[in-house]
Amino acid sequence: MAASAVWGADLYAFGAPGPDLRGYRVSDRLCSLLTMPNLATVLDRGSRWESTESAHPAVDTADCTGQLERKEGSARAATLTASVVLHKSVSPAEEFDAARATAAERIPGRADVRTVTGLGDRAYTVVHGRTAEVHVLDGDAEFALGVTVERTGGRVTPARLRPLVAGDVDTLMRRLDGGTR
């Protein structure tokens, strides 16, 4: 009981610990910060890109949507989506773990879910249908990057894109951390 009283006094005196955002920030220019060195080996950046940003006492978010084109022409080959969510009031760890654990059940059809090491605190990739996605949790910052190809087959397949999206989300995280990583 005495320990609880001391802990409660510390919380009152010093305030509850804040979120662990690891220096990450959101930007209304998320698309321009997404350099895609890995995806650029197989796809070119198209001309249609849109970034959004929102701030709230509980979460700050930034999103990017864009078109990727075939290397050999200007036809649309894929759609890219990226998001950053900074959780400022509740830790997202349990929900992140639950989403990873149930990803194959929640996604219609066959989904290949794999854990990724060396990327944030926790990370996993999902390949399903025509889409390759990576989800990362680093402290209380959550990142997602997905690419949906126009049609499967040929040189650019979701399975081939899996390591590329993982590499590019790592690059994005480095650009958003304010130089702390």
Side-chain angles (χ1 to χ4, degrees):
M1 202 129 128
S4 293
V6 170
W7 178 79
D10 282 349
L11 275 180
Y12 180 77
F14 300 107
D20 181 9
L21 299 179
R22 311 246 166 116
Y24 293 114
R25 66 197 189 294
V26 295
S27 171
D28 63 349
R29 301 177 318 110
L30 185 61
C31 289
S32 64
L33 294 172
L34 188 61
T35 57
M36 305 179 314
N38 297 288
L39 285 168
T41 63
V42 294
L43 295 166
D44 287 328
R45 190 179 190 102
S47 59
R48 299 185 66 191
W49 290 82
E50 184 177 339
S51 294
T52 60
E53 175 190 21
S54 64
H56 184 275
V59 294
D60 289 341
T61 62
D63 296 286
C64 169
T65 303
Q67 300 299 315
L68 300 171
E69 298 174 348
R70 288 183 181 80
K71 283 275 188 200
E72 61 276 358
S74 61
R76 183 173 81 178
T79 301
L80 177 140
T81 58
S83 68
V84 178
V85 180
L86 304 181
H87 298 267
K88 300 185 294 184
S89 65
V90 176
S91 173
E94 286 187 45
E95 285 87 358
F96 186 87
D97 290 343
R100 193 265 180 245
T102 62
E105 299 164 18
R106 290 180 292 113
I107 298 169
R110 206 171 101 205
D112 181 13
V113 181
R114 297 183 187 174
T115 299
V116 177
T117 58
L119 190 56
D121 293 334
R122 299 174 176 104
Y124 65 96
T125 59
V126 181
V127 170
H128 59 95
R130 299 176 313 169
T131 302
E133 303 171 334
V134 62
H135 300 269
V136 180
L137 183 65
D138 197 23
D140 292 326
E142 196 170 356
F143 302 85
L145 178 63
V147 176
T148 301
V149 295
E150 289 299 308
R151 40 187 156 343
T152 57
R155 203 169 89 106
V156 181
T157 64
R160 181 166 183 216
L161 294 176
R162 178 194 305 265
L164 304 180
V165 294
D168 284 348
V169 82
D170 184 53
T171 301
L172 178 63
M173 290 168 66
R174 291 178 191 284
R175 297 203 69 188
L176 291 173
D177 76 355
T180 60
R181 280 185 16 155

